[in-house]
Every structure is written in structure tokens, then in C-alpha cells.
Amino acid sequence: MATQRVLPQSKETLLQNYNKRLKDDIRSILDNFTEIIKTAKVEDETQVSRATQAEQDHYEMHVRAANIVRAGESLMKLVSDLKQFLILNDFPSVNEAISLRNQQLRTLQEECDKKLISLRDEIAIDLYELEEEYYSSSCGQWDGVELPLCEAFHRQDIWGSPETTSDPSCANPEDTDHLGTQESIQCNLNSHGSSTSEQS
Amino acid sequence: MANDRLRALEDVEKEIALVLQSAGTIVLELSKEKANASLLDRQLNQFQTSINRVESELSAQIRYLTQVATGQPHEGSTYSARKDCQMALNRAEYARVKLGELGHTCEMMLDPQT
């Protein structure tokens, strides 16, 4: 559909200015070049002496050549302004660039999350097997209380670090029991819950 | 689409340089005692073709901009998608760090001498 857009005055004026600059520069290049070619023709009869005429032609060609170069540079500036205007105001292409970028980022995010989920599922399988092995062995006992796998891992981590001053034997057995029970419930729920979801 | 238009404008810049170059070659050739006519013809054709191409391409671009320009600033953004992607990469990095720690702990348990 060819609807007449009502542009703000500044934008319309700007685009009309671009048109005018384009026409003026092209006209300048063509006219000055044509005049140079005409001036290059050697005439037999001149109003002034040959030397004077030659000097005048030389100066005129010099000026016209400078005009052509100036018009060429003005055209380059016009192209630069058009590029800037295009980047800022060409909404269809800006929208397309934004949607393309969004799509790329979302694809990357989904791929990342998919790999993390598959990694989680694999680790859940391994954790289930480890827990089966751990709870059926004698390592799962500590002072007669069933020690959760996460608690055992945590204590192993503390024993492994030299800065730790806590002595497991000095720990309050009531707190250990309470903590052990709570964490046991939590760890069992987490591990078997994830493996159940994986099996289903 | 945006890249095509910008690329077209870059080609226009090269055409403008070609216009000036061919004009200079013509004048240089005319300054010789014996000008090469075929070279002059070729350069003149090049000059006319280039200048017509420059004018038509720039007019087309200005016409297109007259149709699509609204005068309003564009308020689109890719910030939300970028943020989500950054968080996903942070999640992956965190998982990698934690797995590294787990692996290190397992190695220490297997070989406490090191």
C-alpha cells in the first residue's frame, strides 16, 4: 500500500536536504568536468595572447578540478550521513537484527540448560548407586548412628583441610544426632526423589 | 537486511572514488601529445556508468528512508535475552566448579599421600 507518511518536520527537512545535496554534487561534478574538457580544446583565435589564454585556462582547470574534488568529498559525507540515518531510523532492519540476536541468545541458553539437565540426570544415577553401596556397607555407621552420605562427605572435607580445629570426637552427640537425622531425611529425599523422577 | 543496505552504501563510496579516478585519468590522457582514443572511451564510459550508479543508488536509499523513517527513537533491546543467557552460562560455570571440587576431593580420598 502506498500511504503518504506524515514525518516530523525535522526528518522530512533532513531527507529533502539529502536529496538537494545529492543533486547539487552530481551536477557540480558533471558541469565542472564538462567545462574542463571544453577548456582543453586548443583554439586558434584568442582575444588575448596565447600565453595569457593558457594561463587563464590553467587557472580555470585548477579551480574546476578542485570543485570536482570538493563535490566528491561532499558526496562521501552524504553517504556517511545516510549510513548514520539508516542505522538509527531503519526500523525494519533494526527489528530484524534484534530478533535475530534474541534468537541466538535463547538458543545458546536452551542448549546450556539442556546439557546441565542431562548432566544432572547422569549424576543422579551415579549418586543413587553410590548411596546404595554406602548405606549397605559399614562406612555408613558412626558411633552406632546411621551417618548420611552428605554428612560423611562434609566431615571428610573438614578432616582434609589443615586449618580445621574441630575434633569430631568432641562434637556434641545430641547435636550430631539431630543434625544427622535432619540431614539424613533431607539427603534421602533429595537423592531418591531425583532418581525417582529419572526412573519415571 | 540492514547489512545489505550498509554494504550497498559502501559500494557507493567505492563508485565515487572510481568517478574521481576516471575523471583524472581522462584529463591526464588528454594532456598527452598523442592521446589513446580507446582508453579515453573506456574511461569515459566508466565515468558515466559510475556517476549514474551513484545517483540512482543514493536516490533509492533516500526514497526508502522517506518511507520507513518515523522520527521516533527505537526502544527495542536484547537485554533480557542477554541476561538469561549470561545466567545460564553462570549456572554452567558453577556446575563445572563444583564438579571440579568433587573430583579433587575424590582424588584426595583415593590417594591421601598427594
Side-chain angles (χ1 to χ4, degrees), chain A residues 37-55:
Chain A
I37 302 299
K38 282 183 191 171
T39 313
K41 184 181 173 185
V42 177
E43 291 177 2
D44 294 328
E45 294 181 4
T46 55
Q47 291 183 351
V48 294
S49 70
R50 268 188 185 263
T52 313
Q53 187 63 41
E55 198 60 37

PDB file of all heavy atoms in Angstrom, chain A residues 37-55:
ATOM      1  N   ILE A  37      36.846  19.673 -20.038  1.00  0.00           N
ATOM      2  CA  ILE A  37      37.048  19.084 -21.367  1.00  0.00           C
ATOM      3  C   ILE A  37      36.927  20.151 -22.451  1.00  0.00           C
ATOM      4  O   ILE A  37      37.720  20.203 -23.410  1.00  0.00           O
ATOM      5  CB  ILE A  37      36.031  17.943 -21.621  1.00  0.00           C
ATOM      6  CG1 ILE A  37      36.157  16.843 -20.552  1.00  0.00           C
ATOM      7  CG2 ILE A  37      36.214  17.358 -23.004  1.00  0.00           C
ATOM      8  CD1 ILE A  37      37.507  16.174 -20.515  1.00  0.00           C
ATOM      9  N   LYS A  38      35.973  21.060 -22.271  1.00  0.00           N
ATOM     10  CA  LYS A  38      35.806  22.143 -23.263  1.00  0.00           C
ATOM     11  C   LYS A  38      37.020  23.061 -23.260  1.00  0.00           C
ATOM     12  O   LYS A  38      37.503  23.492 -24.313  1.00  0.00           O
ATOM     13  CB  LYS A  38      34.567  22.974 -22.931  1.00  0.00           C
ATOM     14  CG  LYS A  38      33.260  22.352 -23.332  1.00  0.00           C
ATOM     15  CD  LYS A  38      32.132  23.314 -23.016  1.00  0.00           C
ATOM     16  CE  LYS A  38      30.787  22.655 -23.157  1.00  0.00           C
ATOM     17  NZ  LYS A  38      29.708  23.507 -22.652  1.00  0.00           N
ATOM     18  N   THR A  39      37.514  23.351 -22.078  1.00  0.00           N
ATOM     19  CA  THR A  39      38.661  24.254 -21.960  1.00  0.00           C
ATOM     20  C   THR A  39      39.917  23.620 -22.532  1.00  0.00           C
ATOM     21  O   THR A  39      40.826  24.329 -22.983  1.00  0.00           O
ATOM     22  CB  THR A  39      38.895  24.636 -20.485  1.00  0.00           C
ATOM     23  OG1 THR A  39      37.657  25.004 -19.895  1.00  0.00           O
ATOM     24  CG2 THR A  39      39.874  25.769 -20.348  1.00  0.00           C
ATOM     25  N   ALA A  40      39.978  22.296 -22.512  1.00  0.00           N
ATOM     26  CA  ALA A  40      41.171  21.600 -23.016  1.00  0.00           C
ATOM     27  C   ALA A  40      41.337  21.777 -24.528  1.00  0.00           C
ATOM     28  O   ALA A  40      42.424  21.586 -25.064  1.00  0.00           O
ATOM     29  CB  ALA A  40      41.091  20.114 -22.672  1.00  0.00           C
ATOM     30  N   LYS A  41      40.275  22.159 -25.199  1.00  0.00           N
ATOM     31  CA  LYS A  41      40.357  22.320 -26.656  1.00  0.00           C
ATOM     32  C   LYS A  41      41.196  23.553 -26.963  1.00  0.00           C
ATOM     33  O   LYS A  41      40.958  24.636 -26.423  1.00  0.00           O
ATOM     34  CB  LYS A  41      38.950  22.492 -27.220  1.00  0.00           C
ATOM     35  CG  LYS A  41      38.894  22.563 -28.721  1.00  0.00           C
ATOM     36  CD  LYS A  41      37.453  22.758 -29.178  1.00  0.00           C
ATOM     37  CE  LYS A  41      37.427  23.008 -30.672  1.00  0.00           C
ATOM     38  NZ  LYS A  41      36.083  23.324 -31.151  1.00  0.00           N
ATOM     39  N   VAL A  42      42.186  23.379 -27.850  1.00  0.00           N
ATOM     40  CA  VAL A  42      43.076  24.479 -28.225  1.00  0.00           C
ATOM     41  C   VAL A  42      42.424  25.267 -29.364  1.00  0.00           C
ATOM     42  O   VAL A  42      42.099  24.713 -30.412  1.00  0.00           O
ATOM     43  CB  VAL A  42      44.452  23.934 -28.663  1.00  0.00           C
ATOM     44  CG1 VAL A  42      45.348  25.079 -29.120  1.00  0.00           C
ATOM     45  CG2 VAL A  42      45.103  23.144 -27.534  1.00  0.00           C
ATOM     46  N   GLU A  43      42.241  26.585 -29.124  1.00  0.00           N
ATOM     47  CA  GLU A  43      41.617  27.412 -30.162  1.00  0.00           C
ATOM     48  C   GLU A  43      42.675  28.227 -30.890  1.00  0.00           C
ATOM     49  O   GLU A  43      43.652  28.684 -30.283  1.00  0.00           O
ATOM     50  CB  GLU A  43      40.577  28.342 -29.522  1.00  0.00           C
ATOM     51  CG  GLU A  43      39.378  27.576 -28.997  1.00  0.00           C
ATOM     52  CD  GLU A  43      38.401  28.499 -28.299  1.00  0.00           C
ATOM     53  OE1 GLU A  43      38.655  29.721 -28.265  1.00  0.00           O
ATOM     54  OE2 GLU A  43      37.402  28.010 -27.777  1.00  0.00           O
ATOM     55  N   ASP A  44      42.434  28.386 -32.169  1.00  0.00           N
ATOM     56  CA  ASP A  44      43.424  29.120 -32.966  1.00  0.00           C
ATOM     57  C   ASP A  44      43.316  30.623 -32.711  1.00  0.00           C
ATOM     58  O   ASP A  44      44.334  31.311 -32.595  1.00  0.00           O
ATOM     59  CB  ASP A  44      43.215  28.838 -34.464  1.00  0.00           C
ATOM     60  CG  ASP A  44      43.499  27.384 -34.781  1.00  0.00           C
ATOM     61  OD1 ASP A  44      44.375  26.798 -34.105  1.00  0.00           O
ATOM     62  OD2 ASP A  44      42.850  26.824 -35.691  1.00  0.00           O
ATOM     63  N   GLU A  45      42.092  31.113 -32.613  1.00  0.00           N
ATOM     64  CA  GLU A  45      41.910  32.558 -32.426  1.00  0.00           C
ATOM     65  C   GLU A  45      41.522  32.831 -30.977  1.00  0.00           C
ATOM     66  O   GLU A  45      40.553  32.273 -30.467  1.00  0.00           O
ATOM     67  CB  GLU A  45      40.818  33.086 -33.358  1.00  0.00           C
ATOM     68  CG  GLU A  45      41.200  32.991 -34.825  1.00  0.00           C
ATOM     69  CD  GLU A  45      40.101  33.540 -35.710  1.00  0.00           C
ATOM     70  OE1 GLU A  45      39.097  34.054 -35.180  1.00  0.00           O
ATOM     71  OE2 GLU A  45      40.246  33.431 -36.936  1.00  0.00           O
ATOM     72  N   THR A  46      42.320  33.691 -30.351  1.00  0.00           N
ATOM     73  CA  THR A  46      42.015  34.056 -28.965  1.00  0.00           C
ATOM     74  C   THR A  46      41.984  35.571 -28.844  1.00  0.00           C
ATOM     75  O   THR A  46      42.636  36.284 -29.604  1.00  0.00           O
ATOM     76  CB  THR A  46      43.087  33.500 -28.006  1.00  0.00           C
ATOM     77  OG1 THR A  46      44.369  33.959 -28.441  1.00  0.00           O
ATOM     78  CG2 THR A  46      43.055  31.982 -27.983  1.00  0.00           C
ATOM     79  N   GLN A  47      41.266  36.061 -27.884  1.00  0.00           N
ATOM     80  CA  GLN A  47      41.144  37.508 -27.684  1.00  0.00           C
ATOM     81  C   GLN A  47      42.405  38.093 -27.071  1.00  0.00           C
ATOM     82  O   GLN A  47      42.738  39.246 -27.303  1.00  0.00           O
ATOM     83  CB  GLN A  47      39.939  37.819 -26.785  1.00  0.00           C
ATOM     84  CG  GLN A  47      38.620  37.516 -27.478  1.00  0.00           C
ATOM     85  CD  GLN A  47      37.426  37.887 -26.601  1.00  0.00           C
ATOM     86  OE1 GLN A  47      37.587  38.204 -25.426  1.00  0.00           O
ATOM     87  NE2 GLN A  47      36.247  37.844 -27.196  1.00  0.00           N
ATOM     88  N   VAL A  48      43.064  37.302 -26.257  1.00  0.00           N
ATOM     89  CA  VAL A  48      44.318  37.749 -25.635  1.00  0.00           C
ATOM     90  C   VAL A  48      45.433  36.881 -26.203  1.00  0.00           C
ATOM     91  O   VAL A  48      45.203  35.958 -26.970  1.00  0.00           O
ATOM     92  CB  VAL A  48      44.265  37.643 -24.103  1.00  0.00           C
ATOM     93  CG1 VAL A  48      43.237  38.626 -23.550  1.00  0.00           C
ATOM     94  CG2 VAL A  48      43.916  36.229 -23.686  1.00  0.00           C
ATOM     95  N   SER A  49      46.637  37.158 -25.767  1.00  0.00           N
ATOM     96  CA  SER A  49      47.761  36.376 -26.288  1.00  0.00           C
ATOM     97  C   SER A  49      47.659  34.938 -25.813  1.00  0.00           C
ATOM     98  O   SER A  49      46.972  34.620 -24.849  1.00  0.00           O
ATOM     99  CB  SER A  49      49.079  37.001 -25.813  1.00  0.00           C
ATOM    100  OG  SER A  49      49.207  36.790 -24.415  1.00  0.00           O
ATOM    101  N   ARG A  50      48.375  34.076 -26.517  1.00  0.00           N
ATOM    102  CA  ARG A  50      48.307  32.636 -26.204  1.00  0.00           C
ATOM    103  C   ARG A  50      48.758  32.346 -24.782  1.00  0.00           C
ATOM    104  O   ARG A  50      48.185  31.493 -24.107  1.00  0.00           O
ATOM    105  CB  ARG A  50      49.187  31.871 -27.192  1.00  0.00           C
ATOM    106  CG  ARG A  50      48.409  31.411 -28.379  1.00  0.00           C
ATOM    107  CD  ARG A  50      49.267  30.482 -29.232  1.00  0.00           C
ATOM    108  NE  ARG A  50      48.515  30.161 -30.418  1.00  0.00           N
ATOM    109  CZ  ARG A  50      47.799  29.048 -30.563  1.00  0.00           C
ATOM    110  NH1 ARG A  50      47.800  28.151 -29.621  1.00  0.00           N
ATOM    111  NH2 ARG A  50      47.109  28.853 -31.663  1.00  0.00           N
ATOM    112  N   ALA A  51      49.810  33.031 -24.388  1.00  0.00           N
ATOM    113  CA  ALA A  51      50.348  32.781 -23.051  1.00  0.00           C
ATOM    114  C   ALA A  51      49.314  33.145 -21.990  1.00  0.00           C
ATOM    115  O   ALA A  51      49.087  32.379 -21.018  1.00  0.00           O
ATOM    116  CB  ALA A  51      51.633  33.577 -22.827  1.00  0.00           C
ATOM    117  N   THR A  52      48.666  34.299 -22.184  1.00  0.00           N
ATOM    118  CA  THR A  52      47.649  34.725 -21.221  1.00  0.00           C
ATOM    119  C   THR A  52      46.474  33.752 -21.209  1.00  0.00           C
ATOM    120  O   THR A  52      45.963  33.376 -20.150  1.00  0.00           O
ATOM    121  CB  THR A  52      47.135  36.139 -21.570  1.00  0.00           C
ATOM    122  OG1 THR A  52      48.246  36.996 -21.831  1.00  0.00           O
ATOM    123  CG2 THR A  52      46.274  36.699 -20.457  1.00  0.00           C
ATOM    124  N   GLN A  53      46.078  33.369 -22.425  1.00  0.00           N
ATOM    125  CA  GLN A  53      44.947  32.431 -22.524  1.00  0.00           C
ATOM    126  C   GLN A  53      45.290  31.101 -21.840  1.00  0.00           C
ATOM    127  O   GLN A  53      44.473  30.515 -21.128  1.00  0.00           O
ATOM    128  CB  GLN A  53      44.606  32.199 -24.006  1.00  0.00           C
ATOM    129  CG  GLN A  53      43.337  31.381 -24.233  1.00  0.00           C
ATOM    130  CD  GLN A  53      42.082  32.048 -23.715  1.00  0.00           C
ATOM    131  OE1 GLN A  53      41.904  33.267 -23.863  1.00  0.00           O
ATOM    132  NE2 GLN A  53      41.217  31.294 -23.074  1.00  0.00           N
ATOM    133  N   ALA A  54      46.527  30.659 -22.092  1.00  0.00           N
ATOM    134  CA  ALA A  54      46.965  29.395 -21.481  1.00  0.00           C
ATOM    135  C   ALA A  54      46.951  29.502 -19.959  1.00  0.00           C
ATOM    136  O   ALA A  54      46.512  28.578 -19.249  1.00  0.00           O
ATOM    137  CB  ALA A  54      48.362  29.013 -21.990  1.00  0.00           C
ATOM    138  N   GLU A  55      47.442  30.651 -19.476  1.00  0.00           N
ATOM    139  CA  GLU A  55      47.474  30.856 -18.029  1.00  0.00           C
ATOM    140  C   GLU A  55      46.064  30.875 -17.460  1.00  0.00           C
ATOM    141  O   GLU A  55      45.784  30.275 -16.412  1.00  0.00           O
ATOM    142  CB  GLU A  55      48.191  32.184 -17.744  1.00  0.00           C
ATOM    143  CG  GLU A  55      48.673  32.345 -16.323  1.00  0.00           C
ATOM    144  CD  GLU A  55      49.658  31.289 -15.886  1.00  0.00           C
ATOM    145  OE1 GLU A  55      50.508  30.848 -16.699  1.00  0.00           O
ATOM    146  OE2 GLU A  55      49.567  30.849 -14.724  1.00  0.00           O
TER     147      GLU A  55
END
